[in-house]
Amino acid sequence: MSAELQKLATEIALQAGELIVRRRREGVSIAASKSSAEDVVTHADRESENLIRSLIADARPGDGFYGEESDATGSTTGITWVVDPIDGTVNYLYDIPNYAVSIAVIEGDPNPHTWTALAATVTNPAAGETFSAARGMGATLNGTKIQANTDVVLSLALVGTGFAYSAERRIWQAGIVQQLIGSVRDIRRMGSAELDLCSVACGRLDAYYERGLNPWDHAAGVLIAEEAGARVGGLNGARASRDFTLATAADLFEPLHELLIEAGAEASVLG
Ligand code: LIP
């Protein structure tokens, strides 16, 4: 079943990828702003989600849908699709070729603390790259098996992270980076959580962390990173979620977790 869901998720993601690249060429227009003026949704985000939603409904009526740009639909099959129609929307708006269509298929409630991810695809159409995984079957990039890095020492770790759409939260997040940056190789801010997680999966990053992600920003990338041998979680033994998402080369998790705690990453100021 997971392999079939992976195949379907990939077919659908590639179709949505073609659509958003076409719209990119035609010119991108903002449809609205959401949680802040910086948090925009483009018409292409909505078109991509509508396309993905209708293709899933045709292929698997009864499955649930949980996407960034539309209301959720409950499941009668126990399966739900967690979708980000364009992850890295600001990159997309500025034509920075680092954005993705992200689709995860989970079993259970659409809650990162409890769900079981079965299959996932993240496609970056501008780069012609498609990351994919099925539970227990490993992860691939354009069909070739990928592995996360190993034997990474903290002081030489290349670490990715991201910043929120709220100025207050960005200032807090910058404070954490300030405390980390002298203890690791360097920091990368590439603008798409899903592609950052896939970068850990294929060894382009040794680690990635972010606080405040929505389920659709990490659902697919977490499975892909885990299936590539990375260690993924939240803080203090929790699962990856909005509270915190940390993905690393397996032996790097504990030392980076400790450094994040010392840097104040648990602070409840932001809720
Ligand atoms: C984005 C994430 C990114 C994060 C942004 C935003 P979006 O998702 O991919 O890592 O820093 O604040 O959440 O809004 O492009 O789907």
Side-chain angles (χ1 to χ4, degrees):
M1 162 104 127
S2 297
E4 286 157 39
L5 292 168
Q6 180 187 19
K7 186 169 174 293
L8 180 58
T10 302
E11 286 163 6
I12 292 174
L14 290 173
Q15 288 185 55
E18 281 169 20
L19 170 69
I20 64 173
V21 162
R22 205 165 46 246
R23 292 291 178 264
R24 184 52 264 179
R25 270 198 296 273
E26 294 163 359
V28 171
S29 55
I30 293 175
S33 59
K34 301 187 288 185
S35 63
S36 68
E38 304 98 298
D39 182 6
V40 298
V41 55
T42 69
H43 287 106
D45 284 270
R46 291 179 173 169
E47 250 193 296
S48 173
E49 182 144 326
N50 291 340
L51 172 65
I52 294 167
R53 199 172 183 138
S54 64
L55 292 171
I56 292 167
D58 291 347
R60 292 190 52 95
D63 282 2
F65 187 89
Y66 192 66
E68 178 167 8
E69 308 301 352
S70 57
D71 296 338
T73 305
S75 174
T76 58
T77 62
I79 299 285
T80 293
W81 297 66
V82 181
V83 171
D84 193 332
I86 305 181
D87 187 51
T89 296
V90 174
N91 282 354
Y92 183 73
L93 184 64
Y94 283 78
D95 202 10
I96 298 169
N98 193 59
Y99 50 82
V101 176
S102 170
I103 300 179
V105 190
I106 61 107
E107 202 165 31
D109 293 337
N111 174 352
H113 292 287
T114 58
W115 69 30
T116 300
L118 302 176
T121 294
V122 174
T123 186
N124 176 349
E129 293 192 329
T130 299
F131 298 86
S132 193
R135 175 164 289 283
M137 302 168 75
T140 58
L141 166 52
N142 290 350
T144 303
K145 201 168 172 47
I146 52 176
Q147 285 282 314
N149 293 340
T150 55
D151 308 321
V152 181
V153 294
L154 186 60
S155 61
L156 292 177
L158 188 62
V159 178
T161 193
F163 299 91
Y165 288 123
S166 108
E168 185 207 6
R169 184 170 292 186
R170 285 196 298 277
I171 292 164
W172 179 81
Q173 289 167 319
I176 300 292
V177 170
Q178 186 188 7
Q179 300 198 50
L180 252 72
I181 202 158
S183 304
V184 298
R185 179 192 295 272
D186 202 346
I187 297 284
R188 291 289 180 272
R189 197 303 191 237
M190 300 194 284
S192 160
E194 292 287 5
L195 288 174
D196 289 338
L197 288 160
C198 291
S199 295
V200 173
C202 68
R204 290 176 187 164
L205 287 173
D206 298 309
Y208 161 73
Y209 76 88
E210 191 160 350
R211 179 160 182 182
L213 293 176
N214 293 299
W216 44 76
D217 292 325
H218 63 83
V222 163
L223 180 65
I224 292 167
E226 285 173 339
E227 286 295 324
R231 181 162 166 201
V232 186
L235 297 178
N236 303 317
R239 286 176 60 164
S241 73
R242 182 177 182 79
D243 301 334
F244 210 88
T245 296
L246 173 61
T248 75
D251 45 13
L252 184 59
F253 193 94
E254 294 304 338
L256 184 51
H257 181 279
E258 205 178 308
L259 186 61
L260 284 161
I261 297 291
E262 283 162 17
E266 293 168 293
S268 60
V269 281
L270 298 170

